[in-house]
Amino acid sequence: MSGTSKAGSEKTRHDRSEDGFSEQERAAMKARATELRAAARGDRGAKKAAADEAAVLSAIAAMAEPDRALAERVHAVVTAAAPELAPRLWYGQPAYAKAGKVVCFFRSGQADKERYSSLGFSVEANLDEDDGMWPTAYALTRLTEASEAAIRKLVQKAVR
């Protein structure tokens, strides 16, 4: 036997509904559906880029502290390090895309009910290491000059 008790399995499912998704997961799916509908409307070029950036800045402004401050700094570092990345929402959170594909993204810890926010990289990021192993997400609780420099290097490597 595995030794798992019924009480233990109930604890892991405490915030999931009968359909299997938590409130946060359902909210992220709804946000993604809204993003896809907006993309289907057909805005192109500068108008779309401006609307996408405004949506990202609005999502950041709606975050509670300290996530808002973290997201603002991540946004500033990413956009300065790789101006070719286009800000856009991805599952309701700030993300940065190249040729329409998300390369990196910020996840609010408070929105996810986690003790830290995260900076993640998608499969589109060129972070591969020769030894076949590399991180794809980083926990963020605060940013220092050193961590901002590390993010800058990662983003620049990711878009190469």
Side-chain angles (χ1 to χ4, degrees):
M1 293 248 149
S2 67
T4 304
S5 69
K6 182 176 180 182
S9 65
E10 290 297 322
K11 183 178 179 185
T12 61
R13 296 184 310 195
H14 75 282
D15 66 345
R16 296 198 182 267
S17 66
E18 286 185 25
D19 64 6
F21 295 106
S22 71
E23 182 180 324
Q24 291 78 22
E25 290 166 330
R26 284 192 305 279
M29 288 185 286
K30 286 179 184 178
R32 183 68 180 134
T34 300
E35 294 159 16
L36 292 172
R37 282 192 299 276
R41 280 194 295 267
D43 286 346
R44 298 280 184 244
K47 184 178 178 183
K48 181 180 182 334
D52 286 348
E53 183 160 20
V56 166
L57 294 174
S58 178
I60 290 171
M63 291 178 189
E65 290 295 344
D67 287 355
R68 181 183 318 127
L70 279 173
E72 287 170 347
R73 289 303 309 142
V74 167
H75 179 77
V77 171
V78 170
T79 56
E84 66 269 33
L85 291 179
R88 60 177 272 199
L89 289 179
W90 195 47
Y91 295 95
Q93 298 285 311
Y96 305 87
K98 182 176 180 180
K101 306 277 184 165
V102 170
V103 174
C104 61
F105 54 91
F106 177 85
R107 293 289 310 165
S108 165
Q110 291 179 353
D112 291 339
K113 295 185 178 180
E114 298 290 341
R115 64 182 181 88
Y116 55 83
S117 295
S118 59
L119 173 67
F121 292 88
S122 74
V123 296
E124 300 298 324
N126 296 317
L127 296 177
D128 303 33
E129 294 290 338
D130 291 338
D131 64 3
M133 185 174 110
W134 58 92
T136 59
Y138 296 83
L140 300 175
T141 57
R142 63 187 174 92
L143 291 180
T144 63
E145 286 183 29
S147 57
E148 286 183 14
I151 290 170
R152 197 173 302 109
K153 280 179 69 174
L154 283 166
V155 169
Q156 289 169 340
K157 182 178 180 183
V159 297
R160 275 192 226 138

